[in-house]
Each structure stands twice: as C-alpha cells, then as structure tokens.
Amino acid sequence: MFPSLVVLPIWIIVALVWPIVETLHALQTKSSERKVWLFYWLCYAAGTWLLYYFEWLIKIPFLILGFYMDIYYEAQIAVVFYLVFPKTRGIFLLQEHLESNASAIGVAASEKMKDMALVVRERLVDLNKRLH
C-alpha cells in the first residue's frame, strides 16, 4: 500500500533503532528490562530466520488480500510496533506467556522431536538395507 521508500525507514526505526535505544537504556541502568530486550533480540533473530525460509507460506493470506490492497509489510510493522511500543509492550506479554507455559511447550516439543527422530531413524535403516 505504501511505497517501500516509506515502509523501509519506518521498519528500521520501529524494529531496530527503537529497540536498540531501549536495550542500551536497560543496560546502562542495569534494570530488569535487560532480560526482556534480550528476549526481543532472540525473537528478532528467530523471526528473521523464519521469514527467510517460510515467508512464502506466511505471505499466502496477504497475496489473497493483495487483490484489494497490499498490506504485508504494513502488517509486519504493526506487529513489531505492538511488541515495542511503551504503552502496549507486547514483548512483555509474549515473554510472560512463554515463561508460564514453558513446561508444557517443552514437553510437547520433546515429544515431537522424539517422534521425528524415530521416523528419521526408520528411514535411515530402510535406506541402509536398500544400499546393502
């Protein structure tokens, strides 16, 4: 919807400059917000990786909406703005949610990893039998 000459500077300010300033402030004052901003940067790195590999999948609903208006990058800015804006500080809510459900998430993740490991092992054994 907006040209990239408008979206890119807003993205840089909202997703990078503002969190850098907040992180440096938290580090200088040695406040408890250091943990929150570390979590933000971990989420930023994970989100960057996720978008690098799976942006095509995330973009599908926006491609359908693209017939009417293209709001993919504006939606990204809105999500990041919600995470870092001082009034909403969605990153705090996200961190609290993940910390409160960490045990359940860990159990589910370990079960899925065990299932995947069994499937991979079976396929490797089957491939080994075919080769020999």
Side-chain angles (χ1 to χ4, degrees):
M1 196 148 120
F2 292 113
S4 61
L5 289 174
V6 174
V7 172
L8 183 62
I10 293 173
W11 171 257
I12 290 171
I13 290 169
V14 172
L16 293 173
V17 174
W18 194 343
I20 287 172
V21 170
E22 291 289 333
T23 303
L24 291 175
H25 178 70
L27 289 173
Q28 284 181 343
T29 60
K30 297 185 182 190
S31 69
S32 61
E33 287 190 7
R34 291 182 297 178
K35 183 179 173 184
V36 173
W37 290 108
L38 175 63
F39 179 70
Y40 172 81
W41 290 111
L42 289 172
C43 288
Y44 182 85
T48 301
W49 179 84
L50 181 79
L51 287 176
Y52 182 78
Y53 289 105
F54 299 107
E55 185 175 28
W56 62 271
L57 184 64
I58 296 169
K59 213 171 184 179
I60 289 173
F62 292 98
L63 289 173
I64 295 168
L65 284 173
F67 289 115
Y68 304 106
M69 66 178 116
D70 186 22
I71 60 167
Y72 177 69
Y73 296 107
E74 289 84 354
Q76 282 185 351
I77 291 173
V79 168
V80 173
F81 189 77
Y82 169 75
L83 290 174
V84 300
F85 188 63
K87 296 283 184 187
T88 58
R89 287 288 169 107
I91 196 73
F92 287 107
L93 299 173
L94 180 62
Q95 183 183 16
E96 288 174 9
H97 177 72
L98 289 177
E99 285 178 351
S100 66
N101 297 324
S103 61
I105 293 170
V107 169
S110 67
E111 287 177 6
K112 293 291 183 186
M113 291 299 286
K114 286 178 186 176
D115 292 342
M116 261 197 317
L118 287 174
V119 169
V120 169
R121 184 178 183 280
E122 288 174 6
R123 288 188 180 174
L124 287 175
V125 168
D126 188 37
L127 179 65
N128 193 18
K129 286 179 184 178
R130 286 185 199 166
L131 292 176
H132 295 287

